[in-house]
Amino acid sequence: MSLETRREGARVQIRNLVKRFGDVLAVNDVSLDINPGEFITFLGPSGSGKTTTLMMIAGFEIPDQGEILIDEEPIMFTPPYKRGIGMVFQHYSLFPHMTVERNIGFPLKMRKNDKQDSAERIAQALELVKLPGYGKRMPRQLSGGQQQRVALARALVFSPRVLLMDEPLGALDKKLREHMQLEIKQITQSLNITTIYVTHDQSESMTMSDRIAVMNKGRIEQIGPPTEMYDSPSNYFVADFIGESNFLEGQVEEVEEDGCYFLTDGGLRCRVSPKPQKATREKGHLVIRPEKVSLAQPGQSFTNQFDVIIEEALYLGDITVYWSRFIDGGATLTIKQQNRFRSSRIKKGDKISIGWNEKDNCIV
């Protein structure tokens, strides 16, 4: 069967997964449904439980509690090599004494695959990762990016319905890393394979994922599409971990049908829409992304508009970053603006009017 033949990816279900290492609770009651053909990323800092969760799906770690199912079948007691899962590790784990084609063909050999079919699959896999003609080379003769492609080809050559990837781009430089992000996404889409990806790089997760599961201290803090995670974070941790945010402390002043008013500790009254999951007088933080803040032009007004003093301006070519302080309220605010119109003429010490609309901020 050709690697390019489209088939439905597997459904992966995780139920109340728990894993301890001594006194450390590495994974704490994680539950998740992953749809067939979906690309989902476990995102979080070191020690958040994302790799441990991945290793339990792969079968290299045994859960203390919980259940894992692939296409409704429990796999808790199925050995890793019988789960039909492709795996790409952070450091590739290629066999240094084997040629590229033997590395790629190793999973087929373990499955006692027909030699003719294996040869065809290896050739297809090399084409898929854009390495035709590299079959006779040794891993030491390849660049880091090429080794990563071989590891991906090896994981895909036996047509798994689930692909697991544990920070596979961590050893690559920035430019190659960004290029490979798009390639991996395109390959997994073309094969319609269910992909579970682990990274601590929030930009990488935003680029590649259908959904992101943000993990912290062994739990999933929030799961959703990249746009939802960025624009509507469910709590302070998610808002702080994904992207850059301004946080203004305060409390909900008044809740209405379609929104609310938030009063900062410095006395700034801001309109927020839609209605938050907080009650009147409940404490929280107003979240505003730096690029959502606009420099008010003459005659222009915003739902939330205030006067600030520019304390510092940093020109970065395509954008300028401003550090400002509210004249009323005293809090600081970071602003990012594209370098066009009059924004590049604003300098340290200037008093200006800034603003944002009610849908451009949220409360956590």
Side-chain angles (χ1 to χ4, degrees):
M1 183 177 68
S2 169
L3 297 184
E4 294 288 352
T5 301
R6 292 186 65 85
R7 56 184 297 189
E8 186 178 35
R11 179 179 299 279
V12 179
Q13 296 168 294
I14 300 170
R15 295 284 181 266
N16 307 110
L17 217 56
V18 174
K19 180 64 180 178
R20 295 180 179 87
F21 295 102
D23 295 332
V24 177
L25 184 57
V27 176
N28 182 10
D29 195 29
V30 167
S31 294
L32 177 66
D33 282 353
I34 303 171
N35 299 318
E38 185 174 26
F39 194 119
I40 193 165
T41 296
F42 293 159
L43 173 68
S46 298
S48 60
K50 55 189 187 298
T51 293
T52 302
T53 302
L54 194 80
M55 290 302 167
M56 287 191 283
I57 298 170
F60 301 129
E61 295 285 355
I62 305 300
D64 296 318
Q65 297 174 39
E67 191 173 31
I68 303 170
L69 302 95
I70 295 182
D71 283 339
E72 312 297 334
E73 295 183 11
I75 60 166
M76 295 284 287
F77 302 105
T78 304
Y81 68 92
K82 288 187 176 180
R83 296 190 180 193
I85 292 175
M87 182 87 191
V88 181
F89 297 95
Q90 183 174 4
H91 300 294
Y92 316 141
S93 300
L94 299 179
F95 300 113
H97 62 286
M98 291 185 182
T99 62
V100 165
E101 62 184 11
R102 287 182 63 200
N103 263 284
I104 295 173
F106 186 77
L108 300 174
K109 182 179 179 181
M110 293 298 97
R111 289 167 173 77
K112 297 180 169 44
N113 209 59
D114 173 79
K115 286 188 177 181
Q116 178 62 35
D117 182 60
S118 293
E120 292 175 0
R121 284 176 169 271
I122 292 168
Q124 290 168 8
L126 284 168
E127 287 283 349
L128 189 66
V129 298
K130 300 180 181 178
L131 287 178
Y134 282 72
K136 303 301 181 184
R137 298 194 187 188
M138 304 298 288
R140 65 176 179 273
Q141 297 175 300
L142 305 178
S143 67
Q146 290 168 338
Q147 289 185 39
Q148 194 273 344
R149 290 167 190 262
V150 173
L152 178 59
R154 182 178 62 185
L156 295 173
V157 72
F158 61 96
S159 297
R161 297 183 70 190
V162 179
L163 174 66
L164 308 181
M165 307 188 79
D166 185 18
E167 305 223 31
L169 307 181
L172 305 182
D173 62 63
K174 184 176 183 294
K175 186 174 182 180
L176 182 56
R177 185 183 183 116
E178 291 173 351
H179 178 75
M180 288 305 302
Q181 288 170 9
L182 296 176
E183 278 210 11
I184 290 172
K185 179 67 174 174
Q186 290 167 355
I187 288 171
T188 55
Q189 283 180 334
S190 71
L191 298 177
N192 200 32
I193 187 170
T194 304
T195 305
I196 307 173
Y197 193 94
V198 162
T199 184
H200 65 274
D201 186 324
Q202 55 93 13
S203 177
E204 187 166 281
S205 70
M206 298 284 283
T207 299
M208 303 178 73
S209 311
D210 296 318
R211 285 193 298 161
I212 301 170
V214 176
M215 298 191 68
N216 181 37
K217 297 179 180 179
R219 300 184 69 92
I220 293 178
E221 296 277 355
Q222 185 178 356
I223 182 166
T227 52
E228 178 184 310
M229 307 297 284
Y230 190 82
D231 294 331
S232 304
S234 63
N235 57 41
Y236 188 100
F237 179 85
V238 176
D240 189 43
F241 193 79
I242 293 186
E244 185 179 347
S245 296
N246 293 291
F247 295 97
L248 300 178
E249 290 188 65
Q251 66 179 14
V252 176
E253 183 187 38
E254 178 186 352
V255 177
E256 298 177 340
E257 184 65 30
D258 60 346
C260 76
Y261 287 94
F262 185 89
L263 186 64
T264 73
D265 290 346
L268 302 173
R269 191 170 189 259
C270 301
R271 172 74 181 174
V272 181
S273 178
K275 184 169 62 176
Q277 300 298 312
K278 287 185 182 293
T280 302
R281 290 188 292 279
E282 187 173 352
K283 296 287 289 183
H285 292 83
L286 188 75
V287 181
I288 315 123
R289 301 290 187 181
E291 73 278 4
K292 300 286 189 181
V293 182
S294 297
L295 310 179
Q297 306 294 319
Q300 186 179 23
S301 64
F302 297 90
T303 307
N304 301 307
Q305 188 159 333
F306 308 97
D307 292 331
V308 299
I309 292 177
I310 300 298
E311 296 193 329
E312 194 60 73
L314 181 61
Y315 178 80
L316 297 177
D318 58 334
I319 64 168
T320 298
V321 180
Y322 299 101
W323 287 270
S324 67
R325 183 174 296 276
F326 291 100
I327 293 175
D328 297 322
T332 59
L333 194 76
T334 302
I335 307 166
K336 290 183 177 179
Q337 291 288 299
Q338 293 289 325
N339 286 323
R340 54 187 180 182
F341 306 124
R342 71 186 186 97
S343 60
S344 60
R345 302 198 297 271
I346 296 171
K347 59 186 183 301
K348 181 178 179 179
D350 284 353
K351 175 183 173 181
I352 65 169
S353 182
I354 58 97
W356 60 90
N357 291 315
E358 59 188 77
K359 292 185 178 180
D360 289 334
N361 53 194
C362 64
I363 298 172
V364 297

